[in-house]
Amino acid sequence: MNDSTALKTGHDRALSDITTIHTLGPTGTNLEKAAHHWFAGRGLAGTVLLHPEVEDGLDAMAFDGTEAILACAVYPRLHDLVFSNLHRLEMADSFLLDTHDMVLAGRPGATGAVATIVTHPAPSCLVTGRGDITLTSSNSRAAALCAAGEFDACVTTGPAAAAEGLHLLENFGPVPMVFTLHVGRPSGAGTGRA
C-alpha cells in the first residue's frame, strides 16, 4: 500500500465515524437534503440536526470526530466558518449535488403585483429589481415568513414552498451545488498543524 492509498483509507475511515451532521434549517433546506444524501451515499445511518444558522451547530456539536457541520460553496459566511474555526474544524469532504428546485412563490389567492420579497442572501440575485428584498437566514425560513403574510413572495425551495402551501410564481430549477463537510476535531488534532 503506497502512502496516498494509506492516507485515503484513513480519511475514509475517519469519515465513517461521523454520526451527526449539523446544518441549516428549518426542514426543506438544500443543506438538509445534502446532509441526508451524504449519509445515504456512504450507507451510514446518521442524525441530521437543523439550526437557525449554520454556525449555531458549533454551540451544539461534539468536537471528537463524530460530528460535522455541512455548508455550501455559496454560503455567504463560509470563509468565516472555515478561518474562524481552524483550531476545531477540519474541512474533510465536499461533493456536488443538485439543489431542490429554487422557486419564487407567493401566498395563494394574493392579488396584485409582488412588492416585497424575502430570500436567503445566496439566491437573492434571482429577484434583483423585482421588488423590495429582505434577507433572512434560510430558504425555508423565507417560505414561512411569506406564508405568515409578512411578504408578498419569497425565493425558496420547491419542498419548502409546498410545505407552506405557497403558490408557484416562477421555477428557476435546480442548481448544481458544491457542499462542504467540516468535521469537529479536538483542538489541533488531525489538521496537520502544530
Side-chain angles (χ1 to χ4, degrees):
M1 182 183 303
N2 65 33
D3 287 344
S4 65
T5 303
L7 284 173
K8 182 176 181 343
T9 301
H11 184 260
D12 289 345
R13 192 175 310 117
L15 289 178
S16 68
D17 291 340
I18 297 171
T19 59
T20 303
I21 294 177
H22 299 264
T23 197
L24 184 64
T27 194
T29 65
N30 291 311
L31 284 164
E32 178 190 30
K33 173 188 176 180
H36 288 294
H37 172 83
W38 189 89
F39 279 128
R42 284 170 177 65
L44 298 173
T47 301
V48 176
L49 297 177
L50 303 177
H51 301 279
E53 300 278 346
V54 170
E55 293 83 359
D56 292 342
L58 293 168
D59 296 330
M61 70 185 290
F63 292 90
D64 61 1
T66 66
E67 298 191 23
I69 288 185
L70 188 73
C72 69
V74 299
Y75 183 61
R77 295 188 315 263
L78 181 60
H79 62 289
D80 290 334
L81 179 70
V82 171
F83 290 106
S84 296
N85 293 285
L86 289 175
H87 62 290
R88 61 184 180 168
L89 285 181
E90 176 183 355
M91 190 181 301
D93 201 7
S94 64
F95 57 97
L96 186 66
L97 177 69
D98 281 353
T99 66
H100 292 296
D101 280 4
M102 297 302 299
V103 301
L104 177 65
R107 294 183 314 284
T111 58
V114 171
T116 59
I117 303 169
V118 61
T119 180
H120 182 270
S124 64
C125 66
L126 293 172
V127 291
T128 299
R130 294 177 69 173
D132 291 330
I133 296 173
T134 299
L135 302 178
T136 192
S137 60
S138 75
N139 296 314
S140 295
R141 179 79 179 127
L145 290 169
C146 181
E150 295 184 36
F151 298 91
D152 297 330
C154 62
V155 175
T156 189
T157 64
E164 294 291 346
L166 298 175
H167 174 70
L168 180 67
L169 300 173
E170 185 174 348
N171 188 340
F172 303 106
V175 179
M177 185 59 58
V178 173
F179 294 90
T180 58
L181 188 78
H182 309 260
V183 179
R185 300 278 184 213
S187 187
T191 61
R193 292 182 297 279

